Amino acid sequence: MIAPIEQVSAEVHEHWMGFALQQAAQAAQLDEVPIGAVLVDVENQQIIGSGFNQPIRAKDPTAHAEILAIRSAAQAIGNYRLANMCLYVTIEPCTMCVGALVHARVSQLVFGAREPKAGAVISRQQLLVEESYNHRITHLEGVMAAQCSALMTAFFQTKRSVKTDQ
C-alpha cells in the first residue's frame, strides 16, 4: 500500500519534480513547449519512465510529456498497468493525458503549475472527480509551481519576441 499523497514530504515531491523540470528543459532546448514528466514507483522510490513534450519533433500530436512517460514506464515494467506509480509533471495535464493516466491505472498525480486554457484536473475541467471512471487518481498541485510556470513564461516570451523581430 502506498502512502497517501498528502503524507509525502514536500522535499520528496520537490525531488521528483526537479527531474520533471529537467525533462521540460530538454523540450525547451528542442523548441518544444517545455513540459516534462516522470513516473515514479513510489514503493521503490525510483523513476520508471520519463518524457518531455515533442509533438513537433515526433510529428505526433499525442507526444505529450505525460504520454511519453507512460509509454516508457509501461515498456520498462512490461505491463500497461502502472499501479503504485505517481506521475510528476510540470504543468496540469490536458484531457488526453488525464484519460491516459486513468487507463494506465496510475495511482497519483503531482503537477506544478495550472494550465488555465486546457488543464483538465482543476483549471478548465475536473476530470479526476468524474464519477463515470472506473479508476481514481489522487492528485496534488503546486509543487514547484513558480519554477514550472517560469519555464513556460520564458519560453513563450522568447517565441513572441522572435515573431515581433521578423
Side-chain angles (χ1 to χ4, degrees):
M1 183 74 179
I2 62 173
I5 200 166
E6 62 278 353
Q7 291 180 5
V8 176
S9 73
E11 293 79 20
V12 169
H13 288 313
E14 289 172 3
H15 171 77
W16 297 121
M17 188 61 75
F19 286 101
L21 278 163
Q22 289 174 9
Q23 291 291 310
Q26 287 185 49
Q29 288 174 347
L30 296 170
D31 206 28
E32 296 273 5
V33 174
I35 300 174
V38 295
L39 252 166
V40 176
D41 179 330
V42 294
E43 289 179 8
N44 298 318
Q45 290 295 294
Q46 61 183 3
I47 294 174
I48 303 299
S50 62
F52 56 87
N53 264 21
Q54 45 189 309
I56 298 166
R57 182 173 181 235
K59 297 174 183 62
D60 177 358
T62 69
H64 289 199
E66 301 93 325
I67 301 294
L68 297 177
I70 288 168
R71 288 177 183 162
S72 69
Q75 290 296 309
I77 67 168
N79 194 335
Y80 71 106
R81 298 286 191 224
L82 303 173
N84 298 324
M85 302 241 181
C86 181
L87 180 79
Y88 287 85
V89 61
T90 55
I91 302 296
E92 178 181 6
C94 69
T95 303
M96 174 183 68
C97 293
V98 168
L101 292 168
V102 170
H103 286 289
R105 304 297 194 271
V106 169
S107 299
Q108 301 173 334
L109 166 67
V110 175
F111 67 89
R114 288 187 181 188
E115 209 300 47
K117 292 182 181 175
V121 178
I122 293 171
S123 298
R124 299 299 281 173
Q125 300 177 76
Q126 294 81 41
L127 294 181
L128 292 182
V129 296
E130 178 62 44
E131 292 185 14
S132 63
Y133 293 140
N134 61 349
H135 176 69
R136 298 278 174 249
I137 300 171
T138 59
H139 68 277
L140 177 69
E141 72 163 304
V143 174
M144 300 178 76
Q147 295 92 320
C148 296
S149 181
L151 191 56
M152 291 287 280
T153 299
F155 177 80
F156 285 109
Q157 282 177 341
T158 300
K159 286 288 208 189
R160 283 190 290 276
S161 71
V162 168
K163 274 187 179 177
T164 58
D165 290 345
Q166 294 178 350

